[in-house]
């Protein structure tokens, strides 16, 4: 198995959902805007109304660039044109540079069902420039993604009722050979319904219209990570059930065959942020043969000795430190307001953070007689339940990583990268430091598996690393 070459992966930008080429309007019928009625795109955003459709479509926009400016010899581009569409309220956009030699350009964009408009905006290099949209042609295209479900015998038996795996999957068309598959694990969500909707919005960013010539195909999987107690983290749990084992043994092989009959574990890549980042590390450690490579950004606490300003094994109280000061759960974004453990547990107006705590308790702990997860601490006094804390040790990834030291299992660190800001809003960098202390943060091959973003918070530019990760996957399986 080839290790990562370096933490930057490859200097490459992933392809967006837009493509462009020079050209003139096609002879085929299209939605034509007459010369006198041509819609002008200026430096302010212009909305082009289109007839909504029930199917996915390619839209080819034929545009004419006009300007009275005489360009300087060293000016390579005339302007930058930004186009965007909305899918389920999630705006996706990209831009094209209008080259010096172009006056007529065509822009191809993929349009989801029921979309009623396309937004265009010109960033002028010339205040007298304008772009006219002369014509829009539509061509139907198959749905670029599908929602895949699969009955799970393991989870159904545990829950005592039918349960199904679910994922939104983007499958590259026309690929007869095996392709790399990126599994995207979302951050914290509150339930299965929210996970479904969030993934639906995210999948639009991975829909490619017409890939560049010679570019390697890649598939994308957005699995549902929700359960009744929040984010299940694909971690086998006494509360949530054997969700990790079920995912790896039941769903992953099914997805492989759906994407290509030639696909297998060596083609699987997994990435995630925050709770999704913890999930990535957990999957790579507990199921080292399930994925070829993993990228985790700003993962939830990798050591429970640094659990949001608390050592659950030694501290007595979740609300206050020994000196009486309040423990900090995190700093809210973007204001930076401090959120204490006491406020998080006691304030009924705070909706998000208490559910995150319950999600932890369900994933790491054990059930009460009614099936709900046992509380790590008393919600009124803050007193930590030592028996619950000790039960969490089997889910403490830093302890698991230490057990791998000096064994063949340590090779997994050649295939795992963790990226975290040094000033994470929720103190997650402290858990990463403990986890990264093994082998001085280096893998068996001597390569560092941990990268710090100096001054970065919980929301640093993670997408650059995800794009580089995708480029790395493409490089291993060129078309």
């Amino acid at each position: 198995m080839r290790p990562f070459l370096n933490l930057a992966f490859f200097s490459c930008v992933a392809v967006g959902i837009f493509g462009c080429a020079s050209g003139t309007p096609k002879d085929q019928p299209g939605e034509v805007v007459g010369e006198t009625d041509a819609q002008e795109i200026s430096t302010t955003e212009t909305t082009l109304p289109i007839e909504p459709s029930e199917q996915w479509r390619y839209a080819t926009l034929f545009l004419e660039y006009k300007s009275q400016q005489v360009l300087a010899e060293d000016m390579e581009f005339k302007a930058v044109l930004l186009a965007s569409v909305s899918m389920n309220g999630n705006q996706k956009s990209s831009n094209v540079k209008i080259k010096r030699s172009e006056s007529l350009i065509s822009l191809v964009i993929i349009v989801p069902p029921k979309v009623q408009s396309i937004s265009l905006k010109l960033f002028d290099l010339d205040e007298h420039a304008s772009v006219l949209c002369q014509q829009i042609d539509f061509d139907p295209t198959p749905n670029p993604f599908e929602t895949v479900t699969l009955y799970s015998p393991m989870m159904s038996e545990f829950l005592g009722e039918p349960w199904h795996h679910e994922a939104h999957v983007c499958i590259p068309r026309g690929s007869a050979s095996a392709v790399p598959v990126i599994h995207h694990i979302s951050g914290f969500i509150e339930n299965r319904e929210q996970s479904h909707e969030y993934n639906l919005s995210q999948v639009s960013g991975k829909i490619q219209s017409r890939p560049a010539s010679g570019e390697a195909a890649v598939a994308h999987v957005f699995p549902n990570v929700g359960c009744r107690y929040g984010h299940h983290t694909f971690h086998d749990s006494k509360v949530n059930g054997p969700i990790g084992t079920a995912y790896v043994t039941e769903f992953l092989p099914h997805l492989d065959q759906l994407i290509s009959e030639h696909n297998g574990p060596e083609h699987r890549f997994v990435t995630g942020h925050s709770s999704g980042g913890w999930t990535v590390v957990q999957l790579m450690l507990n199921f080292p043969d399930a994925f070829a490579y993993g990228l985790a950004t700003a993962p939830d606490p990798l050591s429970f000795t640094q659990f949001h300003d608390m050592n659950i094994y030694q501290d007595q109280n979740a609300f206050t430190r020994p000196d009486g000061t309040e423990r900090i759960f995190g700093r809210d974004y973007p204001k930076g307001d401090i959120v204490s453990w006491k406020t998080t547990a006691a304030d009924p107006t705070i909706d998000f953070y208490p559910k995150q705590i319950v999600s932890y308790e369900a994933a790491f702990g054990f059930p009460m007689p009614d099936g709900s997860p046992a509380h790590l601490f008393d919600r009124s006094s803050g007193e930590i339940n030592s028996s619950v804390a000790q039960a969490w040790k089997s889910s403490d990834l830093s302890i698991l990583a230490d057990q791998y030291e000096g064994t063949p299992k340590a090779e997994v660190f050649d295939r795992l990268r963790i990226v975290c800001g040094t000033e994470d809003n929720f103190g997650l960098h402290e858990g990463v430091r403990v986890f990264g202390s093994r082998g001085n943060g280096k893998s068996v091959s001597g390569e560092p598996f941990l990268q710090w973003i100096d001054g970065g918070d919980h929301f640093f530019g993670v997408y650059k690393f995800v794009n580089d990760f995708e480029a790395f996957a493409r490089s291993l399986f060129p078309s």
Side-chain angles (χ1 to χ4, degrees):
M1 182 66 70
R2 169 180 166 182
F4 284 124
L5 294 185
N6 54 59
L7 283 165
F9 305 114
F10 288 81
S11 298
C12 185
V13 179
V15 175
I17 61 173
F18 302 94
C20 69
S22 60
T24 57
K26 298 186 294 184
D27 295 332
Q28 297 94 315
E31 183 177 317
V32 179
V33 181
E35 181 67 35
T36 57
D37 299 321
Q39 299 193 44
E40 181 176 324
I41 299 101
S42 63
T43 52
T44 58
E45 186 173 357
T46 299
T47 300
L48 302 177
I50 61 175
E51 287 294 327
S53 172
E54 294 298 319
Q55 62 182 346
W56 289 82
R57 297 175 293 172
Y58 286 124
T60 304
L61 285 68
F62 295 100
L63 309 165
E64 181 180 4
Y65 180 90
K66 292 185 176 182
S67 175
Q68 299 175 353
Q69 181 190 35
V70 177
L71 298 181
E73 290 297 325
D74 60 348
M75 292 185 67
E76 182 180 359
F77 299 101
K78 297 176 180 178
V80 176
L81 182 70
L82 179 72
S84 63
V85 296
S86 179
M87 176 180 174
N88 284 20
N90 192 44
Q91 199 79 4
K92 292 297 177 181
S93 61
S94 186
N95 58 58
V96 297
K97 291 183 177 180
I98 304 173
K99 294 182 179 180
R100 175 187 176 89
S101 60
E102 293 175 335
S103 58
L104 292 174
I105 62 172
S106 63
L107 176 65
V108 179
I109 187 171
I110 194 165
V111 180
K114 301 181 180 180
V115 167
Q116 301 183 37
S117 63
I118 298 173
S119 297
L120 294 170
K121 186 174 182 180
L122 175 69
F123 292 85
D124 280 330
L125 299 183
D126 168 17
E127 62 180 350
H128 303 293
S130 65
V131 171
L132 300 180
C133 181
Q134 301 286 7
Q135 180 174 322
I136 304 177
D137 284 355
F138 291 98
D139 295 308
T141 181
N143 189 333
F145 78 94
E146 58 183 290
T147 301
V148 180
T149 61
L150 179 71
Y151 175 77
S152 170
M154 293 181 67
M155 285 297 294
S156 297
E157 180 180 0
F158 177 85
L159 296 173
E161 60 184 25
W163 191 93
H164 294 78
H165 300 281
E166 180 194 84
H168 298 313
V169 183
C170 297
I171 303 175
R173 295 183 292 275
S175 179
S177 58
V179 297
V181 183
I182 313 294
H183 292 251
H184 302 264
I185 313 297
S186 78
F188 178 75
I189 48 81
E190 297 179 8
N191 49 54
R192 280 178 69 85
E193 292 74 19
Q194 189 181 84
S195 182
H196 175 92
E197 292 301 320
Y198 178 80
N199 284 342
L200 195 60
S201 70
Q202 293 299 300
V203 76
S204 64
K206 296 301 179 183
I207 295 170
Q208 298 177 6
S209 52
R210 294 173 182 173
S213 176
E215 178 160 55
V218 64
H220 297 274
V221 173
F222 296 81
N224 194 310
V225 293
C227 67
R228 55 185 170 171
Y229 296 116
H231 197 304
H232 56 56
T233 68
F234 286 120
H235 182 45
D236 288 349
S237 159
K238 294 180 180 179
V239 177
N240 294 330
I243 182 61
T245 300
Y247 180 62
V248 168
T249 61
E250 296 174 350
F251 204 33
L252 289 185
H254 177 77
L255 292 172
D256 286 342
Q257 292 305 299
L258 180 69
I259 293 167
S260 169
E261 63 179 6
H262 303 291
N263 265 52
E266 68 273 20
H267 302 99
R268 301 176 195 150
F269 298 73
V270 60
T271 182
H273 181 70
S274 195
S275 294
W278 192 94
T279 303
V280 169
V281 180
Q282 181 273 127
L283 285 171
M284 293 296 290
L285 292 184
N286 285 315
F287 304 96
D289 297 326
F291 293 93
Y293 296 93
L295 168 68
T297 57
D300 281 351
L302 295 182
S303 170
F304 297 158
T305 64
Q306 296 292 336
F307 190 76
H308 299 282
D309 195 26
M310 173 170 45
N311 182 334
I312 70 169
Y313 309 123
Q314 296 181 4
D315 290 325
Q316 304 297 312
N317 195 284
F319 293 167
T320 57
R321 305 185 184 98
D323 63 3
T325 57
E326 288 194 344
R327 296 190 190 278
I328 298 173
F329 182 86
R331 289 175 171 81
D332 212 357
Y333 181 85
K335 296 180 180 179
D337 297 336
I338 291 177
V339 179
S340 69
W341 269 99
K342 185 174 183 179
T343 301
T344 298
D347 189 343
T349 65
I350 298 179
D351 184 55
F352 177 82
Y353 299 119
K355 293 179 180 178
Q356 173 78 78
I357 296 172
V358 173
S359 177
Y360 287 149
E361 292 171 332
F364 309 147
F366 54 82
M368 299 294 285
D370 65 356
S372 64
H375 287 175
L376 174 64
F377 60 94
D378 185 274
R379 294 301 197 263
S380 298
S381 66
E383 181 180 356
I384 293 175
N385 187 325
S386 60
S387 64
V388 174
Q390 290 301 310
W392 281 32
K393 278 190 173 181
S394 62
S395 300
D396 192 322
L397 297 184
S398 66
I399 294 177
L400 183 60
D402 287 341
Q403 294 171 354
Y404 280 18
E405 189 72 28
T407 74
K409 289 184 177 181
E411 67 81 29
V412 72
F413 292 99
D414 279 328
R415 302 183 285 113
L416 173 65
R417 289 295 177 268
I418 301 172
V419 185
C420 189
T422 59
E423 298 180 14
D424 188 274
N425 299 62
F426 306 102
L428 302 180
H429 55 288
E430 299 297 349
V432 171
R433 288 188 196 282
V434 174
F435 186 91
S437 64
R438 61 164 306 281
N440 294 318
K442 293 185 178 181
S443 63
V444 175
S445 65
E447 293 290 335
F449 63 83
L450 173 61
Q451 179 171 346
W452 292 106
I453 306 302
D454 189 32
D457 62 11
H458 191 64
F459 306 92
F460 65 91
V462 296
Y463 292 108
K464 174 193 180 303
F465 294 94
V466 176
N467 287 343
D468 288 345
F469 187 56
E470 180 177 326
F472 173 68
R474 291 178 187 274
S475 74
L476 297 185
F477 301 96
S479 58

